[in-house]
Amino acid sequence: MSAVQRIAILGAESSGKSTLSEALARHYGTPWVPEYLREFVDTLGRVPHEEDQYCIALTQRAREDAASEEAASFLFCDTTPLMTALYSRVYWGRVDAQLARLGARHDYAWTFVTAPDTPWEPDGLQRESEEVRQMVHRMLVETLAARGIAYTLLAGDLPHRMRQVQGLLGQR
């Protein structure tokens, strides 16, 4: 049996990461790892504080590790600790050293970035604005380029994004 390939689905808020991750997992018959931040916000009824960021990223990664035990050939990860670190820079102007180390561990077989080309939709406490979405997208692609992390930008509606990914990972 071959090793599970972790697939990072990254992108700014309201760019379709969760919808795409779930659709890909369904298509390939494998689990996906939802974004823990959403559960955190829904459970606590508040946005995270700076001191919550490392725990959020650590929980995200732990859930990836657990899900990889159940995955077939792919594991679709709706965000990674890299995004948590990036949002720390956005909201607090810095990244905690532990979070920076965890965010630097980008060991994914594929990295897909969802373009912010879908309509921005408010989502309670978790989404800021179209302006923040565009800024985070720019920061993300700049960070990936600076770190030498290859990625594929996924644009268009869900069927188009699915075809883009299937063209790279195979149809199955």
Side-chain angles (χ1 to χ4, degrees):
M1 182 174 152
S2 62
V4 171
Q5 293 184 47
R6 292 184 195 212
I7 313 296
I9 310 289
L10 306 179
E13 63 187 63
S14 192
S15 64
K17 295 182 306 294
S18 299
T19 301
L20 178 63
S21 297
E22 185 175 16
L24 287 167
R26 192 170 38 255
H27 176 80
Y28 286 99
T30 191
W32 67 291
V33 183
E35 181 181 30
Y36 172 64
L37 174 61
R38 181 176 303 278
E39 179 183 330
F40 178 96
V41 169
D42 290 346
T43 300
L44 296 179
R46 66 169 176 85
V47 296
H49 301 147
E50 183 178 10
E51 60 271 12
D52 298 321
Q53 293 293 88
Y54 175 67
C55 183
I56 289 168
L58 198 58
T59 300
Q60 185 74 34
R61 188 61 192 219
R63 288 184 175 186
E64 282 182 28
D65 292 343
S68 71
E69 299 296 320
E70 305 298 320
S73 50
F74 300 118
L75 178 63
F76 297 98
C77 303
D78 175 5
T79 207
T80 71
L82 173 76
M83 289 303 302
T84 308
L86 193 125
Y87 274 103
S88 285
R89 281 190 14 227
V90 169
Y91 289 111
W92 296 286
R94 62 183 171 263
V95 180
D96 166 88
Q98 293 179 96
L99 177 55
R101 281 191 297 278
L102 189 59
R105 183 179 154 201
H106 193 82
D107 53 353
Y108 298 87
W110 294 87
T111 300
F112 297 114
V113 174
T114 53
D117 62 353
T118 56
W120 182 85
E121 296 177 17
D123 184 20
L125 297 172
Q126 202 171 339
R127 294 183 181 161
E128 186 83 18
S129 67
E130 175 63 25
E131 294 75 23
V132 169
R133 178 170 83 153
Q134 294 298 328
M135 177 187 65
V136 168
H137 176 75
R138 284 190 303 275
M139 289 176 68
L140 172 59
V141 297
E142 289 168 2
T143 299
L144 292 171
R147 293 185 182 183
I149 298 171
Y151 68 92
T152 301
L153 182 66
L154 304 175
D157 62 10
L158 180 61
H160 188 256
R161 290 175 181 201
M162 291 288 292
R163 286 190 300 275
Q164 286 179 277
V165 173
Q166 291 166 0
L168 294 167
L169 300 183
Q171 291 293 323
R172 291 213 183 142

